[in-house]
Amino acid sequence: MSAGVAAASRPSVDLAWFRRKQLRALAVVVAAVLVFQGCSMICNFSLAYAITSIPAAFVWMFQNFIPTAESFQYFSIIIEQTVSTALDSVAATMVAAVAGIVLSVLGSSSIGVECAPVRAVIRAIASVFRNIPMIAWALLLLLSFKQNEFTGFLALFLTTFGQLTRFFLDTFDEIPGGPIEALRATGASYWQIVFQAGIPLAVADLMSWMLYMVETNIRSATLIGLLTGTGIGFVFNLYYTSFRYDTAGLVIIVTIVFVLVIEAVSNKARRSMI
């Protein structure tokens, strides 16, 4: 009797549902394979050739990109240009952060202005600047400003401005509403609410996003330098195109170490603000 009750109390398993799930998963896998094969045929890409070429590629890299004693005579130049690239990235991030905070304060739903069209325009501006790739900005600016430091700065600034404005808007939208409502109830002015509640409540997240963008821009500035003829990107391109691979390898190593140090410092700073 007890066995019959236990069997009756067990939930029934819908085997047909599991079969449908398996068939859907199998169909997705087959579709992905077919799409990959079709794209490979169109692009004349061979996965087998790519996989078998990896060992030879690594052997060539280790044979040619290992720094030699001769390459270290350019070490001071490499360090100088690396620091210059980092300073450009920090400057572009700071200027973009100031502009982004102003617009995000005005466009946020929590402490923004009581004008829906203004908030919509600010969000649209952030989306436009954010979704245009940094490389595209650099190519466009090259036509007007040519190859110089200012072109690289502007390319970094415009993309960073769009990204930080979007991040800051989300940050201000997520701050707790209690302190803001309390200030409004006491008759505080708009700017008193912004500086006494809005920014203090969001400052930790704002600083975290700024530090994140500094890291990102230092990495991106290396690539931007290839186009603008400045910074560590230009130095790498100079040595690489002149077939001085050992010095180009030293540039890569210095850049990697520098980025890792900046990331470690940034992560520690972010943790201290939590």
Side-chain angles (χ1 to χ4, degrees), residues 139-175:
L139 292 173
L140 288 173
L141 293 169
L142 277 172
L143 300 175
S144 300
F145 299 99
K146 310 304 178 186
Q147 287 186 323
N148 53 58
E149 292 277 355
F150 187 63
T151 303
F153 173 86
L154 276 181
L156 291 170
F157 165 77
L158 293 174
T159 305
T160 305
F161 165 72
Q163 291 179 334
L164 284 181
T165 302
R166 179 62 184 181
F167 295 153
F168 291 169
L169 282 168
D170 293 339
T171 299
F172 282 119
D173 288 346
E174 294 171 1
I175 61 176

Side-chain angles (χ1 to χ4, degrees), residues 48-96:
Y49 176 77
I51 294 175
T52 55
S53 299
I54 291 176
F58 277 104
V59 169
W60 185 88
M61 288 172 58
F62 283 113
Q63 287 178 344
N64 292 275
F65 279 94
I66 297 298
T68 61
E70 182 183 354
S71 64
F72 277 92
Q73 65 180 314
Y74 304 102
F75 186 73
S76 60
I77 298 175
I78 294 171
I79 292 294
E80 178 185 350
Q81 293 301 318
T82 302
V83 173
S84 174
T85 298
L87 293 177
D88 284 343
S89 303
V90 172
T93 303
M94 294 301 104
V95 176

Side-chain angles (χ1 to χ4, degrees), residues 29-53:
V29 172
V30 171
V33 171
L34 291 176
V35 170
F36 173 78
Q37 289 295 333
C39 294
S40 298
M41 292 175 62
I42 294 172
C43 300
N44 196 25
F45 172 76
S46 172
L47 180 62
Y49 176 77
I51 294 175
T52 55
S53 299

